[in-house]
Amino acid sequence: MAGLVLKGIGKSFGPVEVLRGIDLEVANGEFVVFVGPSGCGKSTLLRVIAGLEEVTAGTIRIDDEDVTGQRAAERGLAMVFQSYALYPHMSVYRNIAFALENMRLPPAEIEARVRRAATMLRLTDYLDRKPGALSGGQRQRVAIGRAVVRDPKIFLFDEPLSNLDAELRVATRKELAGLHAEIGGTMIYVTHDQVEAMTLANRIVVLNKGRIEQVGTPLDLYNRPANLFVAGFIGSPRMNFIRGRVGPEGRLVTPDGKVTLPLPPGLAAAGEVTLGIRPEHVAPCSAGEADARIAVELVEQLGSESYLYGTLADGTALTLRSPLEDPARRGEDVPVRFDPARLHLFDAAGLAIRP
Amino acid sequence: MSETGSPPRAILRDSHASRLIQAVAGLLDRPMAWIQRAVGGRGMAYVFLAPNILFFGLFVFLPIGINMAMSLTGGTNLFLSERPFIGGDHYRGLMQCGSYLDPASCREDHFWKGVSNTLKFTLFQMVAMVGTALVTALVLNRKIRGRGFFRAVYFFPVLLSPVVVALIWKWILQRDGLLNGAITLAGGEKILFFVEPGWAMFWAVFVSVWAHMGFYTLILLAGLQAIPADLYEAAEMDGTKPMRVLTRITLPLLWPNLVVVLVLVLIKAVQTFDEVFVLTGGGPGTATLMVVQYIYETAFANQVQNFGLAAAASMLLGSLLFALTMLQLWIARRKAA
């Protein structure tokens, strides 16, 4: 049974259409991540699900009940805000207990639930403190505790890690994954960080300009992007794109004819196409087995690996990952080979061409 | 100023204003350099403070000193040199009471009537002012149609002179005024608002609230707008009822602003004079006579002008206001910390 069903969701702010025709089903217990660039509508979609924004079209069903017209409080959801939204004048205990007091639960049960959440989130020592006396990570845990304690139908997270430093983000990310494994609730998580999306999600929803571009498991999106947008958005550094035409020998020929490249085997393609290959699937090689040569413009050494940024003979930018510690120098001409099994092909409309 | 914040040098160089400023600065350069050599770098701070200190000394501290001296001297002469020293006689006279709760039992019964009226006025006005300003700020903080218009409308009376405010309301409230016209039109009988003590005090408070509410609304509105919107969204997600949002979230977070408003209203109410004086003249009888009006009349309006007694009363009032101002500063500093 689907925990959440969105059908034809549309949302406009005046003349600006922020969401258009969103259809999505989220199963109970799933961890779904909405990802997309700034302004793609991911946070608005989350707020629409929460009931903090009204839809202008479509229906929202939670556990088979139509909640489209219901207020946020009636939907039984909990949300963790980007800014944490902790009540600054209340202690950690009061912050966590506040929603339970609203529900008029018996004091003993409130106490038990708060203590349980505090233990789970390692907040027991801070229950008497005000949010102002906590670190960013602790505040984030209080915000999560406030959601957990209510035992909601769905947890909603709106970029909850974006205010944390890099180290704390990784640690909190692990905690969230652990939390999902422990309590098993349905979680919907918004982020613009694809690493968060890839590491946390059961399924990722890629949004662009108010539409869903693709829904799938992290590896699905990485290995089988549905279109140029998803191919470019998932993966870091982003996928290389080389525009051209399918030539008479079944190879890609760039517009100026200076570069010819192999096409993915077994695909029937013709006319204008875009070839896609991720930096990790292009490798420096000997001149004899090269598919192309790149003029290196920049080398990024990350220790375990290096990235070479350069251009093909026709000027198309190409990035590749080199496992060597001292791979090449700026200005060098490096022969490279494309992994034929990892090539992606997109038609003139930008849609993936598949066998 | 940061590099990006400053205007491009070319514009600054070419503008007439900048040339004028440079010319003036050039003229001041030499004397300033001379003064700095004379008093040193640290001494320059006092040089720049001097004009303001002189101004304050002349128009604030000196009058306070003269007032203090006046309160310790007797007679009807205005010049201190002609006034005999009588010590604390005026203060003793002001404090001489059978019972402080009964102004009629006091030697200076009008002073104590003024104190009693000012206390009543302050109490009613504080409750009415803070209550109305709070409700107005809460309403204006919502996304209502014409919010900008209403914000301006409520603030406009603040811009009016107190005398103008009082005259407008006098025209409305007098025996043949607008309000009585409306009452008679509706078939009612005229009410003599300035003849019945209860009505006179009511309107004194009402007019004062009408005239100044906009200012306090603005302070509270600023406080309300400083409360992050996501706290309200979190409360909504938590299923908080509107009244609980008000009592558990809005009011506690607005409390520092509310306290500032309370103290400011208190100080203003204790100082009240012009509006009530023009509106009711302190009447009927002494029903709306305030302390400041007592001081004014004792010093300037009575047939026998008793500057010493008025000065003593104003010193007492000044001490109270000083204490209240210190309280307000303390609260403001605590809020800033």
Side-chain angles (χ1 to χ4, degrees):
Chain A
M1 184 178 67
L4 171 75
V5 180
L6 305 178
K7 249 198 173 73
I9 295 296
K11 172 70 187 169
S12 301
F13 292 105
V16 184
E17 211 177 348
V18 182
L19 296 174
R20 318 155 204 225
I22 302 279
D23 293 317
L24 181 70
E25 290 194 10
V26 177
N28 273 327
E30 231 186 336
F31 198 130
V32 171
V33 175
F34 295 169
V35 71
S38 295
C40 70
K42 54 190 187 296
S43 282
T44 307
L45 182 57
L46 193 79
R47 292 170 60 80
V48 158
I49 295 169
L52 295 173
E53 301 283 356
E54 285 176 20
V55 293
T56 35
T59 56
I60 304 167
R61 298 182 74 83
I62 294 172
D63 287 345
D64 281 339
E65 185 192 354
D66 188 342
V67 299
T68 318
Q70 281 184 5
R71 287 172 43 239
E74 296 164 343
R75 298 188 184 187
L77 314 180
M79 184 152 165
V80 176
F81 292 81
Q82 184 176 356
S83 62
Y84 319 135
L86 301 179
Y87 308 122
H89 55 295
M90 294 185 199
S91 66
V92 169
Y93 183 97
R94 284 267 154 254
N95 262 284
I96 300 177
F98 191 67
L100 304 177
E101 288 167 3
N102 289 341
M103 291 155 75
R104 295 175 181 272
L105 293 184
E109 188 177 347
I110 293 177
E111 165 108 22
R113 283 205 201 187
V114 173
R115 299 263 168 215
R116 200 160 52 231
T119 309
M120 185 165 69
L121 293 159
R122 290 177 285 114
L123 288 168
T124 318
D125 294 340
Y126 310 108
L127 285 175
D128 293 329
R129 287 200 198 169
K130 297 264 174 72
L134 299 178
S135 69
Q138 288 163 344
R139 282 183 214 179
Q140 186 55 266
R141 294 212 297 272
V142 177
I144 294 169
R146 200 166 63 174
V148 168
V149 81
R150 287 180 50 201
D151 196 14
K153 291 177 188 164
I154 301 174
F155 290 90
L156 307 172
F157 295 91
D158 188 5
E159 307 212 29
L161 308 187
S162 57
N163 288 343
L164 304 180
D165 62 42
E167 200 180 331
L168 208 51
R169 275 172 93 124
V170 176
T172 315
R173 208 168 67 203
K174 274 193 212 160
E175 282 179 8
L176 276 174
L179 185 76
H180 183 239
E182 191 177 338
I183 60 176
T186 310
M187 294 187 176
I188 299 178
Y189 186 105
V190 163
T191 181
H192 62 269
D193 182 338
Q194 52 161 305
V195 178
E196 269 173 39
M198 298 290 281
T199 50
L200 286 170
N202 297 134
R203 279 195 305 152
I204 296 177
V205 177
V206 183
L207 286 144
N208 183 33
K209 293 178 183 166
R211 287 185 193 283
I212 292 180
E213 294 281 354
Q214 189 175 357
V215 182
T217 65
L219 286 181
D220 254 354
L221 300 188
Y222 179 81
N223 291 323
R224 295 170 57 81
N227 53 42
L228 277 173
F229 178 82
V230 177
F233 193 79
I234 300 290
S236 177
R238 73 196 294 265
M239 186 184 277
N240 297 295
F241 295 119
I242 304 138
R243 288 170 182 281
R245 296 183 62 80
V246 179
E249 292 166 20
R251 287 171 70 86
L252 178 99
V253 183
T254 55
D256 60 5
K258 286 183 180 169
V259 180
T260 64
L261 291 166
L263 287 176
L267 288 187
E272 300 275 343
V273 290
T274 302
L275 183 71
I277 181 110
R278 296 195 183 280
E280 49 272 38
H281 301 140
V282 187
C285 62
S286 63
E289 54 184 4
D291 289 317
R293 302 183 74 86
I294 70 158
V296 178
E297 291 175 346
L298 178 72
V299 180
E300 269 183 4
Q301 298 209 359
L302 305 178
S304 61
E305 60 199 16
S306 304
Y307 284 99
L308 307 187
Y309 296 86
T311 51
L312 293 170
D314 71 330
T316 303
L318 194 93
T319 306
L320 64 105
R321 188 172 72 181
S322 167
L324 305 172
E325 282 182 6
D326 186 19
R329 289 179 201 287
R330 189 167 182 269
E332 267 184 50
D333 197 42
V334 178
V336 294
R337 181 172 163 69
F338 292 8
D339 182 347
R342 300 296 200 143
L343 288 170
H344 302 265
L345 198 62
F346 303 93
D347 63 17
L351 298 176
I353 302 171
R354 290 195 176 134
Chain B
M1 191 186 276
S2 69
E3 280 289 317
T4 47
S6 53
R9 281 182 180 282
I11 296 173
L12 201 67
R13 202 165 44 233
D14 294 344
S15 76
H16 294 294
S18 80
R19 260 180 271 168
L20 184 70
I21 290 167
Q22 279 173 9
V24 174
L27 280 176
L28 287 174
D29 212 22
R30 274 172 177 273
M32 280 301 180
W34 182 81
I35 295 171
Q36 189 167 346
R37 268 198 300 277
V39 299
R42 281 178 159 272
M44 283 308 280
Y46 297 99
V47 171
F48 286 118
L49 282 174
N52 210 16
I53 289 174
L54 271 175
F55 189 84
F56 252 77
L58 204 61
F59 294 103
V60 178
F61 297 121
L62 183 66
I64 290 176
I66 294 173
N67 198 63
M68 181 75 188
M70 279 277 190
S71 71
L72 300 173
T73 54
T76 54
N77 207 308
L78 187 60
F79 298 103
L80 275 174
S81 54
E82 308 291 324
R83 296 173 62 84
F85 181 77
I86 57 163
D89 282 2
H90 287 312
Y91 293 96
R92 274 190 288 277
L94 282 172
M95 303 307 283
Q96 200 176 321
C97 263
S99 158
Y100 288 117
L101 296 175
D102 178 17
S105 69
C106 300
R107 193 174 115 180
E108 287 300 327
D109 56 341
H110 278 200
F111 173 73
W112 286 100
K113 183 69 184 166
V115 169
S116 153
N117 284 341
T118 305
L119 280 177
K120 265 189 236 166
F121 177 85
T122 303
L123 186 72
F124 295 145
Q125 202 232 28
M126 262 176 67
V127 173
M129 184 80 85
V130 176
T132 325
L134 179 63
V135 171
T136 313
L138 287 170
V139 173
L140 291 181
N141 195 39
R142 298 180 74 90
K143 285 178 188 161
I144 54 165
R145 196 182 284 268
R147 184 164 63 160
F149 169 76
F150 286 115
R151 281 182 190 176
V153 162
Y154 285 113
F155 192 73
F156 273 140
V158 178
L159 305 174
L160 295 176
S161 142
V163 175
V164 173
V165 168
L167 284 176
I168 291 170
W169 281 97
K170 208 170 177 175
W171 289 332
I172 294 172
L173 298 170
Q174 64 196 0
R175 184 189 160 85
D176 296 318
L178 207 63
L179 187 56
N180 270 325
I183 290 172
T184 5
L185 212 66
E189 279 190 28
K190 282 183 181 173
I191 303 170
L192 302 176
F193 293 117
F194 297 131
V195 174
E196 291 181 34
W199 275 118
M201 181 57 93
F202 169 81
W203 286 113
V205 171
F206 181 93
V207 169
S208 173
V209 170
W210 180 86
H212 303 291
M213 186 198 76
F215 176 66
Y216 302 109
T217 300
L218 208 66
I219 296 178
L220 294 179
L221 199 55
L224 285 174
Q225 285 176 351
I227 300 174
D230 53 13
L231 290 188
Y232 290 111
E233 289 183 344
E236 203 177 332
M237 293 299 298
D238 283 346
T240 321
K241 297 216 159 60
M243 191 44 81
R244 202 166 139 83
V245 171
L246 178 71
T247 55
R248 298 295 302 276
I249 294 169
T250 305
L251 289 183
L253 292 175
L254 193 64
W255 183 242
N257 292 64
L258 264 174
V259 173
V260 168
V261 165
L262 269 169
V263 178
L264 283 177
V265 170
L266 186 66
I267 292 172
K268 283 284 285 182
V270 172
Q271 289 175 311
T272 295
F273 167 55
D274 34 18
E275 265 158 25
V276 180
F277 182 66
V278 175
L279 190 72
T280 67
T286 54
T288 56
L289 175 87
M290 304 290 156
V291 179
V292 182
Q293 188 183 339
Y294 164 82
I295 294 168
Y296 162 73
E297 285 178 348
T298 305
F300 308 111
N302 289 352
Q303 275 193 331
V304 180
Q305 297 180 333
N306 194 339
F307 300 122
L309 189 61
S314 68
M315 286 310 293
L316 291 178
L317 183 67
S319 313
L320 175 68
L321 288 173
F322 181 75
L324 291 175
T325 307
M326 288 296 112
L327 176 70
Q328 194 250 326
L329 283 177
W330 179 71
I331 290 165
R333 281 194 192 131
R334 223 174 54 141
K335 188 186 161 196

